């Protein structure tokens, strides 16, 4: 499909592809095995000026473009889903500051993130608060000009590696969801440490860690927006970053199709390449069609956001939901086409299948996306009456 990308968009996509091929392809299986954090790749993205694709120029970025960010995320994820999410999670962590930060907060934190000198992370989830984010127990109690933060965040991508954290904590538990607030936390703040690094099924080179707060004292200038706005900050952030998960999923799926096509042409059984078997051809055709549909939905959503549409909760959820379901299906089919070899670690498709799974889970499970889509549909249809 020709998406009629501008010259700049093609340049960004091709640059991300080139850097991923040069710096990630040769390392992805090793990083998957060892779980080593891909600093080498992140430094290369920084050197190629790819870290500020969603950041305004006045804060050191390349100008706000969800589509440019999605194009780069897709190409990186096509080579490695773990590196893709490491790249994308910095956008997730910095979006609360971009959306709700004061000019001073943005000037302090965003330029280094745009330059790729620092990574960001987003801390919402806790042991007892996953889909039900309103159940968070981390508290931020005001004392004079400071807040004292206590609690533990779980499964935070880029945890321990990032320098800047957007964290949601309860400033007034009695108000329920309206008692949550968002804070900017810096790595190294006394009372802020990291728990164990998780050993995961997929995206194994990405760091997933606990954030532990024990009487962590932060100045009130670290509050984002106003007290009580924590969930608004979190939900608006997720609306904006979910197309990025869609792009990650499209990239993983495309990477799996690339491998399946290559293998199908090379593998000979019954005296001919398996690509000549209609059973294989139909699988390849379905994989390609599904990927293109997912890509079209992700790009259309990104373009709509870039064009200034204000309410895009529905479309962002649809893009994330559809693309991640496609990634799961396509990667399973890729393993099937490679069959026994697909099951072996020498070939990348088993890793792609493991990497794809998380796109159905994080930034809201696909059940939660379906809830959200249905709610938006019902709300929109009742307001049209
Ligand atoms: C590798 C990884 C990285 C992550 N990175 C981050 C991060 O950077 N920052 C962060 O804050 N969080 C992060 N998370 C957390 C992630 O967003 C949560 O795992 C996710 O929101 C789901 O929460 P849960 O796992 O506790 O599942 P649960 O909420 O316990 O859900 C269990 C099951 O019940 C279903 N379910 C729950 N409620 C409903 C409902 N109302 N309707 C229908 N079905 C429902 C779910 O879909 C799921 O199938 C990460 C998680 C992982 C695994």
């Amino acid at each position: 499909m020709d998406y009629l990308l501008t010259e700049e968009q093609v340049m960004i996509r091709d640059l991300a592809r080139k850097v991923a091929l040069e710096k990630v392809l040769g390392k992805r299986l090793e990083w998957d095995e060892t779980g080593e954090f891909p600093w080498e790749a992140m430094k290369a993205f920084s050197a190629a000026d790819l870290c500020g694709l969603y950041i305004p120029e006045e804060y050191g970025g390349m100008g706000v473009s969800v589509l440019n960010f999605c194009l780069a995320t897709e190409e990186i994820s096509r080579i490695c889903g773990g590196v893709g999410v490491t790249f994308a999670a910095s956008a997730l962590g910095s979006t609360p500051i971009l959306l709700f930060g004061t000019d001073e907060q943005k000037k302090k934190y965003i330029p280094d993130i745009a330059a790729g000198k620092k990574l960001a992370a987003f801390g919402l989830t806790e042991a007892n608060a996953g889909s039900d984010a309103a159940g968070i127990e981390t508290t931020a109690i005001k004392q004079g000009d400071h807040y004292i933060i206590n609690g533990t965040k779980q499964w935070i991508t880029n945890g321990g590696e990032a320098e800047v954290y957007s964290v949601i904590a309860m400033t007034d538990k009695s108000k329920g969801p309206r008692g949550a607030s968002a804070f900017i936390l810096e790595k190294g703040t006394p009372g802020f440490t990291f728990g164990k690094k998780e050993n995961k099924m997929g995206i194994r080179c990405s760091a997933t860690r606990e954030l532990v707060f024990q009487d962590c004292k932060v100045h009130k200038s670290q509050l984002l927006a106003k007290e009580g706005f924590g969930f608004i900050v979190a939900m608006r952030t997720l609306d904006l970053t979910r197309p990025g998960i869609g792009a990650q999923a499209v990239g993983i799926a495309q990477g799996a199709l690339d491998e399946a096509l290559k293998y199908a042409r090379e593998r000979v059984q019954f005296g001919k390449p398996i690509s000549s078997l209609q059973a294989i051809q139909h699988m390849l055709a379905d994989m390609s069609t599904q990927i293109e549909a997912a890509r079209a939905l992700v790009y259309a959503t990104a373009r709509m956001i870039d064009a200034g549409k204000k309410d895009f909760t529905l479309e962002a959820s649809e893009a994330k939901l559809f693309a991640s379901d496609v990634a799961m299906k396509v990667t399973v089919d890729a393993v099937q086409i490679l069959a026994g070899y697909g099951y072996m670690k020498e070939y990348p498709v088993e890793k792609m299948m493991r990497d794809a799974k998380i796109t159905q889970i994080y930034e809201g499970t696909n059940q939660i996306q379906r809830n959200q889509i249905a709610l938006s549909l019902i709300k929109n249809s009742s307001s049209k009456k």
Side-chain angles (χ1 to χ4, degrees):
M1 177 88 70
D2 186 344
Y3 290 98
L4 306 175
L5 299 178
T6 63
E7 254 176 56
E8 185 197 58
Q9 288 159 353
V10 170
M11 194 267 288
I12 287 165
R13 184 195 63 191
D14 292 352
L15 180 61
R17 182 178 299 171
K18 181 170 174 283
V19 179
L21 284 171
E22 283 174 9
K23 300 289 178 185
V24 181
L25 182 64
K27 290 283 191 156
R28 66 180 173 189
L29 293 182
E30 179 189 328
W31 288 342
D32 178 60
E33 196 73 33
T34 62
E36 182 184 329
F37 190 80
W39 271 120
E40 207 179 312
M42 297 316 291
K43 283 183 186 153
F45 299 137
S46 157
D49 247 346
L50 286 167
C51 298
L53 296 174
Y54 59 97
I55 292 174
E57 283 173 26
E58 59 180 310
Y59 300 112
M62 306 282 285
V64 182
S65 169
V66 177
L67 182 56
N68 288 350
F69 173 72
C70 284
L71 291 168
T73 302
E74 178 186 334
E75 288 305 325
I76 298 166
S77 305
R78 186 171 173 178
I79 304 299
C80 176
V83 177
V85 66
T86 302
F87 176 80
S90 202
L92 171 66
S94 49
T95 294
I97 306 174
L98 283 165
L99 287 179
F100 292 93
T102 60
D103 187 46
E104 211 178 337
Q105 288 170 329
K106 288 181 197 169
K107 280 189 179 135
K108 185 170 174 191
Y109 292 107
I110 298 296
D112 280 349
I113 295 168
K117 286 185 195 155
K118 288 181 180 172
L119 291 180
F122 177 73
L124 172 64
T125 303
E126 298 180 5
N128 295 319
S131 303
D132 184 10
I136 64 171
E137 288 162 7
T138 296
T139 52
I141 305 302
K142 192 143 192 216
Q143 275 187 13
D145 282 346
H146 292 83
Y147 289 88
I148 310 296
I149 305 188
N150 278 290
T152 301
K153 294 289 169 185
Q154 177 174 270
W155 301 336
I156 306 308
T157 304
N158 287 349
E161 309 294 337
E163 299 284 336
V164 181
Y165 294 78
S166 298
V167 173
I168 313 296
M170 300 304 292
T171 38
D172 187 347
K173 272 191 167 180
S174 69
K175 289 187 179 160
R178 292 210 171 102
S181 303
F183 295 89
I184 310 171
L185 268 293
E186 291 177 28
K187 182 176 175 177
T189 305
F192 174 20
T193 54
F194 302 100
K196 75 174 159 73
K197 193 173 162 185
E198 301 293 344
N199 187 6
K200 305 187 293 291
M201 171 197 287
I203 56 160
R204 287 175 49 78
C205 69
S206 89
T208 312
R209 281 180 87 160
E210 280 177 344
L211 313 181
V212 182
F213 302 102
Q214 284 172 313
D215 293 328
C216 176
K217 190 173 172 184
V218 292
H219 192 261
K220 64 180 182 186
S221 60
Q222 300 302 96
L223 177 71
L224 274 169
K226 289 188 208 160
E227 264 192 34
F229 272 54
F231 283 119
I232 294 172
V233 171
M235 295 312 138
R236 293 260 326 264
T237 294
L238 292 170
D239 278 352
L240 203 52
T241 56
R242 275 179 185 144
I245 302 293
Q248 193 194 334
V250 170
I252 295 171
Q254 183 64 54
L257 176 60
D258 296 342
E259 294 296 329
L261 260 175
K262 186 163 148 259
Y263 185 84
R265 284 201 313 268
E266 289 166 2
R267 175 68 170 171
V268 175
Q269 289 292 280
F270 300 98
K272 53 188 180 185
I274 59 166
S275 62
S276 66
L277 303 171
Q278 199 179 49
I280 298 291
Q281 289 175 353
H282 283 187
M283 281 175 87
L284 292 169
D286 284 346
M287 289 157 82
S288 172
T289 307
Q290 288 157 5
I291 293 169
E292 215 54 76
R295 182 179 287 122
L297 187 54
V298 170
Y299 289 8
T301 304
R303 279 194 164 122
M304 195 188 74
I305 299 171
D306 289 340
K309 177 121 193 283
K310 291 281 173 270
D311 181 2
F312 43 81
T313 303
L314 171 82
E315 293 84 355
S317 284
E318 286 180 344
K320 190 267 185 194
L321 166 69
F322 188 75
S324 59
D325 281 353
V326 163
M328 199 63 243
K329 182 163 189 318
V330 164
T331 53
V332 168
D333 287 349
V335 172
Q336 191 67 21
I337 288 174
L338 274 76
Y341 290 102
Y343 203 71
M344 301 299 154
K345 283 190 182 283
E346 282 89 335
Y347 286 83
V349 288
E350 64 83 30
K351 170 189 180 300
M352 291 165 171
M353 189 179 98
R354 290 185 281 110
D355 288 352
K357 185 61 206 167
I358 192 61
T359 62
Q360 295 180 306
I361 296 173
Y362 56 25
E363 293 207 19
T365 65
N366 281 5
Q367 285 78 14
I368 294 300
Q369 305 307 324
R370 287 181 170 93
N371 291 352
Q372 186 59 64
I373 292 162
L375 274 179
S376 299
L377 284 174
I378 293 161
K379 191 179 104 196
N380 294 350
S381 72
S382 68
S383 66
K384 274 182 198 150
K385 273 189 184 165

